[in-house]
Amino acid sequence: MYHHGNKVIDEQRQGEALILTHEGKKKLYIESYGCQMNFSDSEIVASILSKEGFATTKNPEEADLVLLNTCSIREKAEQTVRNRLSHFHAIKKQNPDIKIGVLGCMAERIKEKLLEEEKLVDIVVGPDAYRDLPKLIKEAEDGRKAVNVLLSKEETYGDVNPVRLGGNGVTAFISIMRGCDNMCTFCVVPFTRGRERSRNPQSIIDEAKILQDAGYKEITLLGQNVDSYLWYGGGLKKDFAKASEIAKASAVRFAQLLRQVAEAVPEMRIRFSTSNPQDMTEDVLHTIAAYNNICKYIHLPVQSGSTRILKAMNRGHNREQYIELIDKIRKIIPDCGLSHDMITGFPGETEEDHQDTLSLMEYVKYDFGYMFKYSERPGTYAARHFKDDVPNEVKTRRLTEIIDLQQKHSLYRNQQHIGKIEEVLVEGVSKKSNEHWFGRNTQNTVVVFPKENVKPGDFVKVKILECTSATLLGQIVH
Ligand code: SAH
Ligand code: F3S
């Protein structure tokens, strides 16, 4: 799997413990797996539980409550969580009073059965039921197993101010919508996160202002499908047609939300993820181009370069439409950073389809990408109707080919930055050297440079001198 910087999906960023310790309180240990939304949700959970007297700890052995916020996107992601759970047997033996909860997509997908399969688990809670955690924890403390996997039409946690945990104090996530209605045939997300609903723009702006006042410099607006954002007073996106004429007329879509946020916090950099090609409109592109503080970077998953496979995946676009969108982006936002998600070995994928994927990548030359082998997920349309018929060796070989090609393109794109002076937001110490900071340019590429007299949270001008396929190396200019 190819990855870039610390923008990571699924297996790449597993089990980061969140830290916030206070003496004399009940102790919560929480680990997050999977997408950025899960990391953001864990901050909501920590906020809900802090009101119940829980402080977080980085040491599971001293915890009263252990929560794993889980991912179901591929089989491997679930296996990772199960392996991790088995590790807690020893801890529970030592401290039988410790309660163990599974949150997130695995809880939603497997439901009560998880209690039978993993005997040490006390609590199972789906992504829309975190407000119920205090009650569920009490049930568990009384010796009963507790489950809530109800999906909601309304829940956006809009009024919960997340406890910022384990972060760098510079960049933060803000959830703007939940769920996904797209029903890509391979994807478990619509089943685990329910139907699309959006959060009140005012509560999003309020959260951005709180972050700005706390010294944050960059926010990422999060949703499974941000271009589909639609606020019309609350409720499911699919019920919009039934809304009143007044509600319809005053509805806020993603481009407007971006504009409102960009204007409300002009000193903040703004990013967003994830965009879906079929839902991305041209006014979003014009908005990105029009505001200096909206980063020139779009993560635009495509999944395959073959129209035949895209159709079987129920993606709402074909190869040509995707290319048209790429051309529009290049025209409206010159120098826009672009990344993708790609799946190899979807049922029925032939060598010719695979060549279509390689040639699409060759056309776009993405800055980076996240690439995966197809993993059949129980209950999805693809699992019910298609045979997982591409042999594992073939999936692996195709995956290696697209990863190699992406590496080449990443190097090519990075080389284009050499000699330029770019604005970088300092995020922290470089992983490889204590003498260097790392940060990102607007395109989301990691830039590493000697420390000098600046600190995390500063915007600096860096002259790019050299690069690898993953990183730009430079020097601050004054
Ligand atoms: N809209 C989402 C996509 C979630 S899944 C977002 O916010 O990122 C992230 C990526 O995982 C998808 O784009 C897809 O490339 C990959 N993926 C999803 N289901 C998969 C499966 N069954 N097998 C392999 N990869 C999958
Ligand atoms: Fe999954 Fe497709 Fe939605 S990949 S999250 S169903 S856009």
Side-chain angles (χ1 to χ4, degrees):
M1 194 179 302
Y2 183 77
H3 61 101
H4 183 90
N6 71 358
K7 186 165 186 303
V8 270
I9 292 183
D10 189 5
E11 294 94 346
Q12 294 152 357
R13 186 179 171 184
Q14 50 193 233
E16 252 176 48
L18 303 172
I19 308 156
L20 181 78
T21 316
H22 296 302
E23 291 309 316
K25 288 186 160 184
K26 285 192 282 184
K27 296 218 166 65
L28 160 67
Y29 174 83
I30 184 163
E31 268 181 17
S32 306
Y33 294 79
C35 64
Q36 295 167 327
M37 183 74 90
N38 260 7
F39 284 76
S40 171
D41 282 357
S42 289
E43 298 186 329
I44 287 168
V45 167
S47 172
I48 290 169
L49 292 184
S50 75
K51 296 194 176 65
E52 301 294 309
F54 279 95
T56 51
T57 169
K58 62 176 172 179
N59 179 6
E61 287 172 23
E62 63 166 32
D64 301 287
L65 175 65
V66 166
L67 299 177
L68 298 192
N69 197 352
T70 63
C71 174
S72 285
I73 200 76
R74 283 167 289 276
E75 196 182 346
K76 202 171 139 206
E78 292 199 352
Q79 199 49 53
T80 304
V81 169
R82 291 196 191 259
N83 294 345
R84 189 65 183 136
L85 275 174
S86 67
H87 172 85
F88 290 108
H89 277 294
I91 290 177
K92 198 152 184 169
K93 214 173 219 165
Q94 262 178 11
N95 172 12
D97 290 336
I98 199 169
K99 298 299 168 210
I100 296 186
V102 174
L103 315 180
C105 287
M106 264 178 93
E108 193 62 49
R109 193 181 80 72
I110 306 175
K111 303 187 167 57
E112 294 77 6
K113 257 181 58 201
L114 203 51
L115 295 172
E116 293 160 31
E117 293 171 10
E118 305 286 345
K119 294 274 187 266
L120 80 168
V121 172
D122 304 290
I123 306 168
V124 173
V125 193
D128 283 352
Y130 297 146
R131 281 183 210 271
D132 204 27
L133 266 168
K135 190 180 120 239
L136 298 168
I137 292 166
K138 287 211 175 66
E139 276 178 35
E141 284 169 352
D142 292 344
R144 280 170 289 146
K145 301 266 177 180
V147 180
N148 187 343
V149 289
L150 289 176
L151 286 171
S152 165
K153 290 182 179 176
E154 298 289 341
E155 184 61 274
T156 60
Y157 302 109
D159 60 333
V160 178
N161 185 26
V163 173
R164 303 293 165 182
L165 298 157
N168 54 10
V170 178
T171 61
F173 298 129
I174 300 182
S175 288
I176 64 163
M177 49 124 25
R178 300 181 74 85
C180 186
D181 287 351
N182 277 354
M183 288 294 188
C184 301
T185 56
F186 53 82
C187 186
V188 78
V189 169
F191 302 92
T192 59
R193 287 195 169 267
R195 300 280 64 78
E196 271 177 41
R197 65 222 101 114
S198 295
R199 179 176 168 191
N200 186 334
Q202 193 54 52
S203 77
I204 295 168
I205 288 167
D206 291 346
E207 195 174 325
K209 285 185 171 158
I210 289 171
L211 287 166
Q212 179 170 265
D213 292 345
Y216 283 81
K217 299 294 167 61
E218 181 180 297
I219 50 178
T220 302
L221 306 179
L222 285 185
Q224 297 300 329
N225 186 11
V226 288
D227 299 286
S228 187
Y229 176 89
L230 177 66
W231 172 256
Y232 63 99
L236 295 181
K237 167 131 184 189
K238 70 181 181 61
D239 294 333
F240 179 61
K242 290 184 249 164
S244 73
E245 289 312 313
I246 301 170
K248 279 184 190 160
S250 58
V252 178
R253 291 185 166 72
F254 185 55
Q256 282 155 282
L257 176 74
L258 259 185
R259 217 173 299 143
Q260 288 179 9
V261 175
E263 285 172 14
V265 286
E267 306 302 322
M268 285 261 224
R269 263 187 180 182
I270 295 153
R271 299 188 187 278
F272 52 88
S273 191
T274 297
S275 298
N276 198 290
Q278 73 196 70
D279 296 306
M280 185 158 225
T281 52
E282 206 172 309
D283 56 346
V284 171
L285 304 181
H286 288 295
T287 306
I288 299 169
Y291 288 87
N292 269 336
N293 60 332
I294 303 180
C295 289
K296 308 301 179 254
Y297 164 61
I298 302 172
H299 179 54
L300 200 62
V302 60
Q303 319 297 0
S304 168
S306 153
T307 288
R308 202 178 66 83
I309 294 294
L310 288 171
K311 198 155 182 229
M313 287 175 161
N314 191 35
R315 300 287 286 182
H317 57 87
N318 59 26
R319 177 189 173 96
E320 288 67 36
Q321 289 165 323
Y322 185 84
I323 287 177
E324 249 172 62
L325 180 58
I326 295 287
D327 291 345
K328 241 188 236 172
I329 294 170
R330 297 262 186 245
K331 209 169 107 209
I332 298 171
I333 318 166
D335 296 325
C336 188
L338 279 171
S339 60
H340 65 96
D341 290 346
M342 206 70 88
I343 296 176
T344 63
F346 185 79
E349 186 189 67
T350 62
E351 261 338 285
E352 201 184 330
D353 296 320
H354 173 57
Q355 290 304 322
D356 284 349
T357 293
L358 292 169
S359 72
L360 179 74
M361 288 174 68
E362 199 59 71
Y363 182 82
V364 182
K365 293 192 176 60
Y366 295 97
D367 294 79
F368 37 98
Y370 306 96
M371 292 156 275
F372 314 100
K373 278 195 266 186
Y374 173 69
S375 165
E376 185 177 271
R377 307 313 293 134
T380 57
Y381 184 94
R384 286 182 285 119
H385 294 87
F386 306 139
K387 190 157 173 273
D388 185 5
D389 59 358
V390 178
N392 191 46
E393 315 83 78
V394 177
K395 285 182 185 171
T396 305
R397 195 249 307 150
R398 290 179 187 165
L399 181 65
T400 307
E401 286 177 17
I402 63 171
I403 288 174
D404 288 349
L405 185 61
Q406 182 52 54
Q407 203 115 26
K408 209 176 101 191
H409 292 157
S410 294
L411 181 62
Y412 166 78
R413 284 289 172 209
N414 284 355
Q415 283 165 345
Q416 311 309 304
H417 293 269
I418 292 177
K420 292 188 181 162
I421 293 171
E422 303 190 333
E423 184 177 71
V424 175
L425 172 59
V426 186
E427 287 184 38
V429 180
S430 155
K431 282 187 199 102
K432 290 201 184 125
S433 149
N434 219 359
E435 312 299 308
H436 291 71
W437 293 124
F438 89 94
R440 266 162 237 273
N441 63 10
T442 189
Q443 289 90 353
N444 207 37
T445 306
V446 172
V447 184
V448 171
F449 49 94
K451 278 185 170 172
E452 297 195 24
N453 200 14
V454 298
K455 58 184 186 312
D458 288 348
F459 287 98
V460 293
K461 297 263 184 254
V462 176
K463 177 153 190 191
I464 309 301
L465 302 171
E466 332 165 41
C467 72
T468 66
S469 63
T471 313
L472 301 175
L473 305 164
Q475 204 138 41
I476 297 179
V477 290
H478 297 281

